[in-house]
Amino acid sequence: MDLLDNLALGFSEALQWHNILFCLLGVALGTAVGVLPGIGPTATIALLLPITFGFDDPTSALIMLAGIYYGAQYGGSTTAILLNLPGESSAAVTAIDGHQMARAGRAGVALAVAALGSFVAGTVATVVLAVAAPPLARAALAFGAPEYFSLVVLGLIASIALASGSTLKALAMIVLGLLLGTIGQDLDTGTPRFTFGVRELYQGLSFVAVAVGVFGIAEILRNLHDPRTRTRMVSRVSKLWPSRSELRRIVGPVLRATGLGSLLGVLPGGGHVLAAYASYAVEKRVSRNPGEFGHGAIEGVAGPESANNAAAQTSFIPLLTLGLPAHPVMALMVGAFIIQGITPGPGVMTEQPALFWGLIASMWIGNVLLVLLNLPLIGLWVRMLSVPYSVLFPVIVVFACIGTYALGQNPYHVFAVAVFGVLGFVLVRTGCEPAPLLLGFVLGPLLEDNLRRALLISRGDPTVFVTRPISGVLLGLAVLALVVAVLPAIRRKRDVVFAEDE
């Protein structure tokens, strides 16, 4: 009964007209920044954070900022599907099959599946957030530095299952991503590493510059290089809604991904990224037709989209119950709490119950608003495919450059987009897929940080990674995944997943 009473309190707060208005504003703005290449929720929330100081009601401010975050997860799939241009790392997985569906004239189906999967996952994850916040937060507390290091290693090794062709090339892309992640100042000492005297590299490479370059600009170069791909991209859109058989096909992936994302979203760092990649790997393994993956499998869209949206909701669990941010956006949410004079942590649930449960209830309302916003716009988004390439390419490049420049108002980031665009094109032409590279780049700093912390805590004893039970199990699974990937019998059966052409 306490849960029902708390939810009733939350909905009574969230359903006030001004909170609904701010929720709508947040999800609409989040969808917009997700659709626009190069602009993400982190930059948007950072820009709007000072404005929240003037809000009389802290609940309204937090509802709006939260809406921007999970709204961007919806919008991020749009450009990933239509233009193969993911603005968020988790959307890179959606682009694999979503863009292939768009090329085949099924962009409407892909967008509808992404929206429906996101709604179901977001709704279920909100219930998980309300019911299981305390126990899940306690489970996350069991993870120390060795466990996080082992978890990241497992995620990186598992990503080999997503790569095409050579296992060695997939490992090389992961290592290259890890090396790119080390560029900048040392995490502990501040000593510049691999900067070659270039001051702009002291803060490290921008994720947006790397992602837009190796996916978006490289895709443009690839299409310009091969005119045949251009004719495929602008195929006539046959329908805007999935059939009954397609809806039945996505039920299992959506449910599995929702559970997976709800669990991984609690973990700090790249939980939503790992959720999307893990969901794709799981769906490829359990599919009766794994050969479809990479060539327009509807499960390859439903799974990752559901997983990253579920993780986006449950990433609020450590923030609301422990005051610990799971990733940069949650760190900005901590700043929003502090601006409003509220200390995030266990005290919020008891001292500010209307805010705590109102924020949770607003997420369900926000998911409903997102579906009402996104489904009617599917027809508008797919019309982008009919725009001539002579117009579409310059527009994509301009928006990508504007979004990248706006993040730090640094022209160097625009040059970085160009460099990584050429690099991405070269990698694709040589049979090396960029998605494992991006995963390594995103998770590299987390891997390094937890490696150092674990060795400091254990006084330099590397056996700490195998003597702690959870860490040892995760490393064992990583070794098993690597062995399975390199076995000749398995390697012969590996399917081309990331490659977009036969």
Side-chain angles (χ1 to χ4, degrees):
M1 291 301 293
D2 287 342
L3 177 61
L4 296 178
D5 291 340
N6 288 329
L7 288 176
L9 173 64
F11 277 105
S12 68
E13 182 74 15
L15 288 173
Q16 295 184 32
W17 70 268
H18 62 281
N19 285 333
I20 294 177
L21 182 62
F22 280 115
C23 185
L24 176 61
L25 177 63
V27 297
L29 190 57
T31 300
V33 301
V35 169
L36 293 173
I39 304 175
T42 306
T44 306
I45 292 175
L47 291 171
L48 293 178
L49 201 57
I51 299 175
T52 62
F53 183 76
F55 280 45
D56 294 329
D57 184 4
T59 305
S60 300
L62 294 169
I63 284 175
M64 183 186 72
L65 295 178
I68 292 173
Y69 173 52
Y70 56 79
Q73 306 303 314
Y74 272 71
S77 64
T78 302
T79 47
I81 290 170
L82 297 182
L83 305 175
N84 197 29
L85 190 64
E88 289 288 305
S89 50
S90 55
V93 190
T94 306
I96 302 167
D97 284 281
H99 189 57
Q100 290 298 318
M101 292 178 69
R103 285 182 163 190
R106 302 173 65 214
V109 175
L111 289 171
V113 165
L116 291 173
S118 298
F119 171 72
V120 172
T123 303
V124 173
T126 302
V127 175
V128 172
L129 175 58
V131 174
L136 281 177
R138 285 194 295 270
L141 281 176
F143 274 63
E147 286 76 19
Y148 284 125
F149 171 82
S150 302
L151 179 66
V152 174
V153 170
L154 175 59
L156 292 172
I157 297 300
S159 70
I160 296 174
L162 301 177
S164 62
S166 168
T167 302
L168 185 60
K169 287 183 178 180
L171 278 172
M173 288 299 96
I174 291 174
V175 172
L176 179 59
L178 292 173
L179 291 175
L180 291 174
T182 62
I183 293 175
Q185 291 179 306
D186 186 275
L187 296 174
D188 293 329
T189 65
T191 304
R193 301 182 301 184
F194 308 114
T195 57
F196 305 103
V198 179
R199 299 187 66 87
E200 287 82 358
L201 288 176
Y202 279 28
Q203 299 301 317
L205 296 170
S206 165
F207 161 75
V208 172
V210 175
V212 170
V214 299
F215 283 99
I217 305 301
E219 172 71 9
I220 291 175
L221 294 175
R222 194 180 66 83
N223 279 283
L224 291 173
H225 180 266
D226 187 357
R228 292 175 299 172
T229 59
R230 278 181 271 173
T231 58
R232 288 180 63 200
M233 180 176 176
V234 295
S235 315
R236 187 176 66 86
V237 177
S238 57
K239 58 180 180 177
L240 299 178
W241 195 254
S243 64
R244 288 186 178 181
S245 62
E246 288 172 329
L247 288 173
R248 285 194 294 269
R249 284 179 62 181
I250 68 172
V251 171
V254 168
L255 294 178
R256 284 189 291 268
T258 299
L260 194 61
S262 297
L263 290 173
L264 293 178
V266 182
L267 302 175
H272 65 299
V273 182
L274 283 174
Y277 276 80
S279 172
Y280 194 94
V282 168
E283 295 310 318
K284 178 174 176 289
R285 294 300 184 193
V286 303
S287 174
R288 295 179 181 178
N289 302 299
E292 291 184 11
F293 282 74
H295 302 282
I298 197 169
E299 297 89 345
V301 176
E305 274 303 295
S306 301
N308 77 57
N309 277 274
Q313 308 284 341
T314 57
S315 64
F316 282 87
I317 290 176
L319 172 70
L320 293 175
T321 58
L322 302 173
L324 299 176
H327 47 75
V329 172
M330 292 299 108
L332 292 173
M333 293 294 290
V334 170
F337 273 94
I338 295 172
I339 285 176
Q340 296 295 331
I342 301 170
T343 302
V348 176
M349 192 183 302
T350 55
E351 297 170 10
Q352 302 270 356
L355 184 150
F356 181 88
W357 293 103
L359 181 59
I360 291 176
S362 74
M363 294 179 188
W364 188 86
I365 296 171
N367 276 285
V368 174
L369 292 174
L370 279 166
V371 170
L372 296 177
L373 279 173
N374 280 275
L375 290 182
L377 291 177
I378 287 176
L380 174 64
W381 299 134
V382 297
R383 290 184 64 183
M384 291 172 61
L385 294 178
S386 62
V387 178
Y389 256 54
S390 59
V391 175
L392 185 62
F393 276 169
V395 170
I396 294 174
V397 173
V398 167
F399 271 110
C401 291
I402 290 174
T404 306
Y405 177 78
L407 284 176
Q409 298 191 1
N410 189 342
Y412 167 76
H413 290 160
V414 179
F415 290 111
V417 168
V419 171
F420 282 102
V422 174
L423 175 63
F425 174 70
V426 171
L427 291 176
V428 171
R429 295 296 299 170
T430 55
C432 297
E433 302 301 332
L437 180 151
L438 191 63
L439 183 65
F441 176 74
V442 171
L443 296 180
L446 183 66
L447 182 78
E448 180 187 4
D449 183 38
N450 284 291
L451 173 63
R452 286 187 169 190
R453 287 171 53 204
L455 291 176
L456 282 172
I457 293 170
S458 65
R459 299 174 183 254
D461 182 10
T463 61
V464 68
F465 297 107
V466 293
T467 55
R468 294 178 60 139
I470 297 177
S471 176
V473 170
L474 292 173
L475 281 182
L477 291 174
V479 172
L480 180 63
L482 184 60
V483 170
V484 168
V486 300
L487 282 176
I490 300 297
R491 190 166 53 194
R492 284 195 297 268
K493 297 178 182 178
R494 294 175 73 215
D495 304 290
V496 176
V497 177
F498 275 88
E500 296 181 350
D501 297 299
E502 295 283 8

